[in-house]
Amino acid sequence: MADDREVLREVWEGRLPVAFSLSSDEVSVMEQPEPYYLLVPRQSYLTLVTDKVQKHFKTYTDPDKVGEVWFEYEGQPLKWHIPIGVLFDLYSFSSTLPWKITLHFQNFPDEELLGCRSKEAIESHFMACVKEADCLKHRSQVINGMQKKDHKQLWMGLQNDKFDQFWAINRRLMEHTGDEPFRNIPFRIYQVDKSYIQSLFRPVTDDGEPLTLGDLLKENLPDIIPKIDACVTQVIIQGVEPPLDTPIQWLSEHLSHPDNFLHICVLHETDDR
């Protein structure tokens, strides 16, 4: 079980200063509104901060043209079902803070984003990820042994940014017996302009030797290690660059997002960030 509470809390308390601006071509008043500044949790989702941002800007746009709200960064629509910290690491890791995000009330990009009109939709997506992760780790034995109120507490802990409320339940999802690791590591590898990579990956060899972040990357991106060594590629998890020899089991227990997936961003020097 992930028992290093200081690490877990440090990860949980990660924040990003964001400057939200209304798209200039959607302003219906004479004066461009000032940006709206928020300190947002890296572990959360844009959907959970939409109400505050929308309320701030709604009086500056034509109410007859207000549709589904969406966000973009330098022309890149931001997917609501990916955690905020992952979006920042993927598209803006080297950018100057605050992170400048544009809000839109019009022209929702249906071909690039899934629709999300409610917090219930993100809750459903979040719980689906948690269940998938537990299927990979424990053959779904832990999540299926929980009650509905436990599932709700997980979500409310995340939504309300309550570390103790969330981890009182999530610690059970991170448990393993003795030296027995997870069956497989729930992970997703992101690269700009590419679909994410996800595969089955055991955290140990057949002989029980621990496998590392480098081993996972070599299996899924065979040519990546020379690029990392040449400093033309960075590997970011939770806003930091873990050493490639870090055991993947430890990373999964301590640096997974609340959805229980280890989100890995691979940034190439040629990416236009």
Side-chain angles (χ1 to χ4, degrees):
M1 172 187 167
D3 55 2
D4 192 335
R5 195 172 180 83
E6 290 184 8
V7 174
L8 299 177
R9 186 175 287 279
E10 190 75 17
V11 169
W12 182 272
E13 292 181 351
R15 300 288 186 269
L16 286 170
V18 180
F20 293 94
S21 297
L22 178 61
S23 177
S24 58
D25 58 4
E26 296 181 25
V27 177
S28 62
V29 295
M30 293 296 293
E31 187 177 352
Q32 181 77 22
E34 293 292 321
Y36 183 61
Y37 295 91
L38 276 179
L39 199 59
V40 301
R42 288 181 55 93
Q43 312 307 310
S44 191
Y45 298 90
L46 285 171
T47 309
L48 297 183
V49 302
T50 297
D51 289 350
K52 292 180 180 179
V53 182
Q54 180 175 331
K55 183 178 180 181
H56 177 79
F57 288 113
K58 206 166 186 178
T59 57
Y60 294 95
T61 193
D62 187 343
D64 295 329
K65 295 181 179 180
V66 171
E68 184 164 359
V69 173
W70 59 285
F71 300 94
E72 58 103 349
Y73 169 73
E74 295 188 349
Q76 174 66 53
L78 298 175
K79 297 179 178 179
W80 60 264
H81 58 285
I82 296 178
I84 292 172
V86 180
L87 292 171
F88 176 81
D89 292 345
L90 184 62
Y91 297 117
S92 314
F93 184 71
S94 299
S95 301
T96 302
L97 294 174
W99 188 21
K100 296 178 175 60
I101 293 180
T102 301
L103 167 74
H104 293 269
F105 286 104
Q106 304 170 21
N107 303 316
F108 188 87
D110 297 284
E111 296 182 358
E112 298 181 75
L113 298 180
L114 298 173
C116 180
R117 293 186 177 272
S118 68
K119 291 180 181 179
E120 288 74 22
I122 189 64
E123 179 183 358
S124 177
H125 167 77
F126 168 76
M127 285 309 306
C129 289
V130 171
K131 291 175 181 179
E132 181 183 353
D134 194 56
C135 180
L136 291 168
K137 289 187 290 187
H138 304 116
R139 294 189 175 93
S140 300
Q141 293 176 357
V142 178
I143 197 73
N144 288 344
M146 291 181 179
Q147 299 180 27
K148 187 174 181 179
K149 66 180 180 65
D150 297 324
H151 297 180
K152 195 67 177 179
Q153 182 172 331
L154 274 175
W155 170 247
M156 294 305 294
L158 174 62
Q159 178 177 280
N160 298 329
D161 192 23
K162 301 294 186 182
F163 174 85
D164 292 328
Q165 181 182 22
F166 177 82
W167 270 100
I169 303 299
N170 195 60
R171 62 179 181 79
R172 292 153 60 183
L173 294 164
M174 289 296 176
E175 288 176 343
H176 55 92
T177 304
D179 295 329
E180 184 69 22
F182 298 150
R183 285 183 63 241
N184 294 285
I185 298 296
F187 76 91
R188 288 172 180 165
I189 298 174
Y190 301 84
Q191 299 175 89
V192 174
D193 296 330
K194 295 183 181 181
S195 299
Y196 67 74
I197 297 171
Q198 181 176 342
S199 67
L200 294 178
F201 185 84
R202 297 194 69 229
V204 295
T205 66
D206 292 339
D207 296 329
E209 292 298 316
L211 292 174
T212 66
L213 173 61
D215 294 321
L216 183 146
L217 291 170
K218 282 187 286 188
E219 181 165 314
N220 290 276
L221 293 170
D223 300 325
I224 195 175
I225 301 301
K227 297 177 182 178
I228 297 172
D229 292 340
C231 298
V232 297
T233 293
Q234 293 175 283
V235 178
I236 311 298
I237 303 176
Q238 291 282 14
V240 299
E241 296 183 70
L244 294 184
D245 61 358
T246 307
I248 199 68
Q249 174 76 30
W250 189 93
L251 288 173
S252 184
E253 291 181 28
H254 295 84
L255 296 190
S256 287
H257 272 75
D259 63 6
N260 277 233
F261 271 84
L262 191 63
H263 295 279
I264 305 168
C265 294
V266 175
L267 312 180
H268 304 287
E269 198 174 67
T270 54
D271 292 340
D272 185 14
R273 301 193 302 279

